Amino acid sequence: MGKFEYSLGLNELKSKELRLWQALIGEFLGNLILNFFACGACTQIEDGTFKALAFGLAIFMAITIVGHLSGGHVNPAVTAGMLIAGRISLIRAIFYVVFQCLGAIAGTAAVKILLDPDYHNGLGHTTLAQNITELQGLGIEFFLGLLLVLVVFGACDPHKPDSRYTAPLAIGMAVTLGHLGTIRYTGASMNPARTVGTAFATDIWTAHWVYWVGPVLGGVAAALLYTQVLEAKPAPKVN
Amino acid sequence: MGKFEYSLGLNELKSKELRLWQALIGEFLGNLILNFFACGACTQIEDGTFKALAFGLAIFMAITIVGHLSGGHVNPAVTAGMLIAGRISLIRAIFYVVFQCLGAIAGTAAVKILLDPDYHNGLGHTTLAQNITELQGLGIEFFLGLLLVLVVFGACDPHKPDSRYTAPLAIGMAVTLGHLGTIRYTGASMNPARTVGTAFATDIWTAHWVYWVGPVLGGVAAALLYTQVLEAKPAPKVN
Amino acid sequence: MGKFEYSLGLNELKSKELRLWQALIGEFLGNLILNFFACGACTQIEDGTFKALAFGLAIFMAITIVGHLSGGHVNPAVTAGMLIAGRISLIRAIFYVVFQCLGAIAGTAAVKILLDPDYHNGLGHTTLAQNITELQGLGIEFFLGLLLVLVVFGACDPHKPDSRYTAPLAIGMAVTLGHLGTIRYTGASMNPARTVGTAFATDIWTAHWVYWVGPVLGGVAAALLYTQVLEAKPAPKVN
Amino acid sequence: MGKFEYSLGLNELKSKELRLWQALIGEFLGNLILNFFACGACTQIEDGTFKALAFGLAIFMAITIVGHLSGGHVNPAVTAGMLIAGRISLIRAIFYVVFQCLGAIAGTAAVKILLDPDYHNGLGHTTLAQNITELQGLGIEFFLGLLLVLVVFGACDPHKPDSRYTAPLAIGMAVTLGHLGTIRYTGASMNPARTVGTAFATDIWTAHWVYWVGPVLGGVAAALLYTQVLEAKPAPKVN
Ligand SMILES: [Ca+2]
Ligand SMILES: [Ca+2]
Ligand SMILES: [Ca+2]
Ligand SMILES: [Ca+2]
């Protein structure tokens, strides 16, 4: 069991043994990295590939740095999925989400301070594209949360040990894929904390509920779908 | 043998023990993800790298999520190759292809519903470029199916255990490479189900046969080439 | 020892046991894939990232498919390095280079046939940029061959077993890096066979010697540098 | 312990047994590759993704080639972090930094010689964007050094053995992420030696101190943060 130490979510039961404050520092730091570097990438005049890689690599890095402390959720939608799957307690989940949001706020605050306002370009805040309704945005963000949390469960499934070594990369690339698929329409948040961070700095809260309800519902649906339908059965011992 | 549980194709004999419906949900979900996110990427005004990464990462993600249930074909050309290689039964192959197509149809239907028509931009449907004949398109799609199924066999060869950990990534990157090489000319389908999904939504069936015959023939050729000529011989036990 | 079966170069001594024709089919097929997909990418109107990824992923795929048969050289510069390092016999090296060139010629011939001439755009042939002298081009191609063969030795060093699982990816990314660094100036061939393939199809042989002498000298220098200076010493057995 | 032979930093105590000159050749060569290929990429007229991938892949390659000799720092900020963490002696650290700078100078010198001046385009030298103050630049480069060294520690943590196989890739991708996030504002040096190399060739030393103090302070902060707060505790042996 010790082998899965760093993997995302699987070690929730174990990580209860860790001091909670270490996990919370981890979640804070992970979201700070995400909003500093990936939303920082959005302030530049570059194309969609540039931004999509930034978000995916930021998650890859965050899990590499803090995955062993907190499970490396770095996203309330992932935390919600883990809560539904019984892999994390409610109290811990609430603390996680608070520190995820604080980390994202800190990350975007640092971008805001370190860049001349001429370069802010919206600070990477997510908004709905013209003619995309809130309901459509909700559907898109639902699919984004669903994708991410399905990949978290698939990559960290203890019955599929071969996935373990590339799990942080796979989860990061799920975030990149989500951005490639939908960035033009909702900004491809996938992550309520990330959007809180930029909403706080820009004071733009339009359609903010979409960025909470969509990914969280998607994450919950993914947790139910994976654990109830898709989960790998233990391989029969061959002797 | 249990070690190869998640790898693509190798576990076909084993997966017959799994309930078929679980595998079919897996194939449906994999193709839904492919058409939702990767064809969704095609609706945006971005360059070829953007689209090529989206298709490759969608396959990487699909295998990560459902590879252990169904072998993670997510493509009738792969299923055809596995059928020829004797790794999957005919009845199972037919069911797979039906659910692959249904998943792709559902994925593109979701894109169509969630995006204002102004953003549809063809919904990522594959068509032959001007001055590319159907025969030329057939040849290109043949090479695409050949590449993909060769990589599936090479990455999942049980005699090459070192390939195992990066197999889902390698197969995804084969799809990215196929798009980089040929996207301008045929749209680089590589995958009849993916094209069925967008043909259904756009009701464009021009040269549709090319997108079935090309990849499937390529997949069959790859299966024969790999199993008859290239397959790794078991490493002699060193003691 | 059987564990290194698929890795590049290390298994040369072992692969002498394999029938030579299997290795030659492997080298032919690898270079065909390279010239079909990566030079095919060059015919499209896309940017440098697009092309650089295509060449790197083509090598990643070629090694995944045929690495266990031939060592997956797919490049006369790699073969030259392996020859100097004593990992492959002269006769085998000569056969490899012939089949690498034939594969590249076949790959570009297929592109030429399958695309309307309007799309040829030079078929991805490498030429020296304006104001880059042949001597400068030679220096650039020398560094390209040096980089590639250093990475081949570093990634496949049997004393560094942790590199093994990502070796095909690392070698592919060396090719991508080479293109990112120099594509504007020499086309970043790194590979005489690849350039033979496109020279044959376009009948352009200007400065052709640069594309042989540069990478081959670089590969030879890398083989000497790695084996004489850099090679990992066996880790002391800890008991 | 022998298992971590190639990983970055962890083997510092061990590598003291290696002859120092081998490690110094390693650091020299790593920085030469970085400045030749990645700064070479900056001389071309391409976008940010192109440059960001070049820097990240150059680090991935450098670690693949020389990581076992020197720990693969290839950056004075990493060396500073390792020094603070007690993983490398002061004398060794000073030698490393000297050879890192010499390697970077050699790499950019080679670019300068091999390219016609029309193609120099600043030789990839890092400068502060207009309206970015030196203090802001310092803050940005601090975050870049922090990110990189946190990833080095996280990926090479001996208590997280699953990270080992992809550590060189993860560290390279940290460098890519840093560039995606900030390249427009400071050039995203992250690495004093890299900037010395281009400053030497262009004789531009404006705000040069920023590129030393920022990454080094960030690296030191990361070393303290990781070792004092984040470090993985040994997994309890399960028997
Ligand atoms: Ca201003
Ligand atoms: Ca409309
Ligand atoms: Ca014509
Ligand atoms: Ca001139």
Side-chain angles (χ1 to χ4, degrees):
Chain A
M1 245 349 193
K3 289 167 127 179
F4 296 98
E5 201 65 18
Y6 87 93
S7 68
L8 209 162
L10 291 181
N11 56 344
E12 276 303 317
L13 291 167
K14 174 71 123 314
S15 70
K16 282 174 188 164
E17 298 164 9
L18 295 175
R19 277 164 294 188
L20 179 62
W21 64 264
Q22 255 189 327
L24 298 181
I25 290 173
E27 292 294 303
F28 178 89
L29 188 60
N31 282 273
L32 185 152
I33 287 171
L34 180 68
N35 273 51
F36 186 81
F37 289 102
C39 297
C42 294
T43 65
Q44 303 178 50
I45 313 297
E46 296 278 357
D47 64 9
T49 304
F50 187 87
K51 295 171 195 169
L53 284 174
F55 281 99
L57 294 180
I59 292 298
F60 179 15
M61 296 304 112
I63 298 174
T64 299
I65 299 171
V66 306
H68 61 292
L69 293 177
S70 64
H73 297 185
V74 200
N75 186 336
V78 175
T79 299
M82 292 298 161
L83 177 64
I84 292 295
R87 307 249 169 103
I88 181 176
S89 69
L90 179 61
I91 187 73
R92 179 176 276 262
I94 292 171
F95 270 114
Y96 270 35
V97 171
V98 170
F99 277 78
Q100 288 159 1
C101 291
L102 291 175
I105 289 170
T108 295
V111 171
K112 198 173 175 181
I113 291 167
L114 291 173
L115 296 185
D116 183 281
D118 290 358
Y119 294 126
H120 285 186
N121 284 326
L123 290 168
H125 186 52
T126 52
T127 51
L128 299 180
Q130 212 174 4
N131 290 336
I132 297 291
T133 66
E134 293 198 352
L135 203 62
Q136 287 176 319
L138 185 73
I140 291 170
E141 291 289 333
F142 172 86
F143 273 101
L144 289 166
L146 183 81
L147 170 72
L148 176 59
V149 178
L150 282 175
V151 171
V152 168
F153 275 92
C156 301
D157 192 327
H159 308 122
K160 293 158 66 180
D162 293 352
S163 306
R164 193 156 31 119
Y165 302 108
T166 56
L169 174 65
I171 297 166
M173 290 302 98
V175 171
T176 292
L177 175 59
H179 281 75
L180 295 171
T182 70
I183 190 170
R184 189 181 180 198
Y185 309 120
T186 66
S189 170
M190 312 181 83
N191 187 334
R194 168 246 188 279
T195 292
V196 164
T198 52
F200 197 87
T202 57
D203 203 25
I204 299 173
W205 299 89
T206 317
H208 189 72
W209 70 275
V210 166
Y211 295 101
W212 276 94
V213 179
V216 166
L217 282 187
V220 166
L224 294 173
L225 178 58
Y226 199 88
T227 56
Q228 304 305 310
V229 180
L230 305 177
E231 196 151 26
K233 297 297 170 288
K237 283 286 192 307
V238 177
N239 226 348
Chain B
M1 246 347 192
K3 289 168 127 180
F4 296 98
E5 200 66 18
Y6 87 94
S7 69
L8 211 161
L10 291 181
N11 56 344
E12 277 302 319
L13 290 167
K14 173 72 124 310
S15 72
K16 281 173 188 164
E17 298 164 8
L18 295 175
R19 277 163 294 187
L20 180 61
W21 64 265
Q22 255 189 327
L24 297 181
I25 290 173
E27 292 294 302
F28 177 89
L29 187 60
N31 282 274
L32 184 153
I33 286 170
L34 180 68
N35 273 51
F36 186 81
F37 289 103
C39 297
C42 294
T43 64
Q44 303 177 48
I45 312 298
E46 296 279 355
D47 65 9
T49 303
F50 187 87
K51 295 171 194 168
L53 284 175
F55 282 99
L57 294 180
I59 292 298
F60 179 16
M61 296 304 112
I63 297 173
T64 299
I65 299 170
V66 307
H68 62 292
L69 293 176
S70 64
H73 297 186
V74 198
N75 186 337
V78 175
T79 300
M82 292 300 160
L83 177 64
I84 291 296
R87 307 250 170 103
I88 181 178
S89 68
L90 179 60
I91 188 73
R92 178 176 277 261
I94 293 171
F95 270 116
Y96 270 35
V97 172
V98 170
F99 278 79
Q100 288 159 0
C101 292
L102 291 176
I105 290 170
T108 295
V111 171
K112 198 172 175 181
I113 291 167
L114 292 173
L115 296 185
D116 182 279
D118 291 357
Y119 294 125
H120 284 187
N121 284 327
L123 291 168
H125 186 51
T126 53
T127 52
L128 298 180
Q130 214 175 2
N131 290 336
I132 298 291
T133 66
E134 293 198 351
L135 204 61
Q136 288 176 318
L138 186 73
I140 291 170
E141 290 290 332
F142 171 87
F143 273 100
L144 289 166
L146 184 81
L147 169 72
L148 176 59
V149 179
L150 282 175
V151 171
V152 168
F153 275 93
C156 301
D157 192 326
H159 307 123
K160 294 159 66 181
D162 293 352
S163 307
R164 193 156 32 118
Y165 302 107
T166 56
L169 174 65
I171 296 166
M173 291 302 98
V175 171
T176 292
L177 175 60
H179 282 75
L180 295 171
T182 68
I183 190 170
R184 189 181 180 199
Y185 308 119
T186 66
S189 171
M190 312 181 83
N191 186 332
R194 168 246 188 277
T195 293
V196 163
T198 52
F200 196 86
T202 58
D203 204 26
I204 299 174
W205 300 89
T206 318
H208 189 72
W209 70 275
V210 166
Y211 296 101
W212 276 93
V213 179
V216 167
L217 281 186
V220 166
L224 293 174
L225 179 58
Y226 199 88
T227 57
Q228 305 305 310
V229 181
L230 306 177
E231 195 152 26
K233 297 297 169 287
K237 284 284 192 309
V238 177
N239 224 350
Chain C
M1 247 346 193
K3 288 168 128 178
F4 296 98
E5 201 66 18
Y6 88 93
S7 70
L8 210 161
L10 292 181
N11 56 342
E12 276 301 317
L13 290 167
K14 172 72 125 307
S15 72
K16 282 174 188 164
E17 297 165 9
L18 295 175
R19 278 164 294 189
L20 180 61
W21 63 264
Q22 254 188 327
L24 298 181
I25 290 173
E27 292 294 304
F28 177 90
L29 188 60
N31 282 274
L32 185 152
I33 287 170
L34 181 68
N35 273 49
F36 186 82
F37 289 103
C39 297
C42 294
T43 64
Q44 302 177 49
I45 313 296
E46 296 279 357
D47 65 9
T49 304
F50 187 88
K51 295 171 195 168
L53 283 175
F55 281 99
L57 294 180
I59 292 298
F60 178 16
M61 296 303 112
I63 298 173
T64 298
I65 299 171
V66 306
H68 62 292
L69 293 175
S70 64
H73 298 185
V74 198
N75 186 338
V78 175
T79 300
M82 293 298 160
L83 177 63
I84 292 296
R87 307 251 170 102
I88 181 177
S89 69
L90 179 60
I91 187 72
R92 179 176 275 261
I94 294 169
F95 270 115
Y96 270 36
V97 172
V98 170
F99 277 79
Q100 287 159 2
C101 292
L102 291 176
I105 290 170
T108 295
V111 172
K112 198 173 176 182
I113 291 167
L114 292 173
L115 296 185
D116 182 280
D118 291 357
Y119 294 126
H120 285 186
N121 285 325
L123 290 168
H125 186 51
T126 54
T127 52
L128 298 180
Q130 214 175 2
N131 291 336
I132 298 292
T133 66
E134 293 198 353
L135 204 61
Q136 288 176 318
L138 186 73
I140 291 169
E141 290 289 333
F142 172 86
F143 273 101
L144 288 166
L146 184 82
L147 170 72
L148 176 59
V149 178
L150 282 175
V151 171
V152 167
F153 275 93
C156 301
D157 192 326
H159 308 123
K160 293 158 66 180
D162 293 352
S163 306
R164 192 157 32 119
Y165 303 107
T166 56
L169 174 65
I171 297 166
M173 290 303 97
V175 171
T176 292
L177 175 60
H179 282 75
L180 295 171
T182 69
I183 190 170
R184 189 181 179 196
Y185 308 120
T186 66
S189 170
M190 313 181 82
N191 187 332
R194 168 246 189 277
T195 293
V196 163
T198 52
F200 197 87
T202 57
D203 204 26
I204 299 173
W205 300 89
T206 318
H208 189 72
W209 70 274
V210 166
Y211 295 101
W212 276 93
V213 178
V216 166
L217 282 186
V220 166
L224 294 174
L225 178 58
Y226 199 87
T227 57
Q228 305 306 310
V229 180
L230 304 178
E231 194 150 27
K233 298 297 170 288
K237 285 284 192 309
V238 177
N239 225 348
Chain D
M1 245 347 193
K3 288 167 127 179
F4 296 98
E5 201 65 18
Y6 87 93
S7 69
L8 209 162
L10 291 182
N11 57 343
E12 277 302 318
L13 290 168
K14 173 72 124 311
S15 71
K16 282 174 188 164
E17 298 165 9
L18 294 176
R19 277 164 294 189
L20 180 62
W21 64 264
Q22 254 188 328
L24 297 182
I25 291 173
E27 292 295 303
F28 177 89
L29 187 60
N31 282 273
L32 185 152
I33 287 170
L34 181 68
N35 274 49
F36 186 81
F37 289 103
C39 297
C42 293
T43 65
Q44 303 178 49
I45 313 296
E46 295 279 357
D47 65 9
T49 304
F50 186 87
K51 295 170 196 169
L53 283 175
F55 282 99
L57 294 180
I59 291 298
F60 178 16
M61 296 303 112
I63 297 174
T64 299
I65 299 171
V66 306
H68 62 291
L69 293 176
S70 64
H73 297 186
V74 199
N75 186 338
V78 175
T79 300
M82 292 298 160
L83 177 64
I84 291 295
R87 306 250 169 102
I88 181 176
S89 68
L90 179 60
I91 188 72
R92 179 176 276 262
I94 293 170
F95 270 114
Y96 270 35
V97 171
V98 170
F99 278 79
Q100 288 160 0
C101 291
L102 292 175
I105 290 170
T108 295
V111 171
K112 198 173 175 181
I113 291 167
L114 292 173
L115 296 185
D116 183 279
D118 290 357
Y119 294 126
H120 286 186
N121 284 327
L123 290 168
H125 186 52
T126 53
T127 51
L128 299 179
Q130 214 176 2
N131 290 336
I132 297 290
T133 66
E134 293 198 354
L135 203 62
Q136 288 176 318
L138 186 73
I140 291 170
E141 290 290 332
F142 172 87
F143 273 101
L144 289 166
L146 184 82
L147 170 71
L148 176 59
V149 179
L150 282 175
V151 171
V152 167
F153 275 93
C156 301
D157 192 327
H159 308 123
K160 293 157 68 180
D162 293 352
S163 305
R164 193 157 30 120
Y165 302 107
T166 57
L169 174 65
I171 296 166
M173 290 303 98
V175 172
T176 292
L177 174 61
H179 282 75
L180 295 172
T182 69
I183 190 170
R184 189 181 179 196
Y185 308 120
T186 66
S189 171
M190 312 181 83
N191 187 333
R194 167 245 187 279
T195 292
V196 163
T198 51
F200 197 86
T202 58
D203 203 26
I204 298 173
W205 300 89
T206 317
H208 189 72
W209 70 276
V210 167
Y211 295 101
W212 276 94
V213 179
V216 166
L217 281 187
V220 166
L224 293 174
L225 179 58
Y226 199 87
T227 57
Q228 304 306 310
V229 181
L230 305 178
E231 195 150 26
K233 298 297 169 286
K237 284 284 192 309
V238 177
N239 227 347

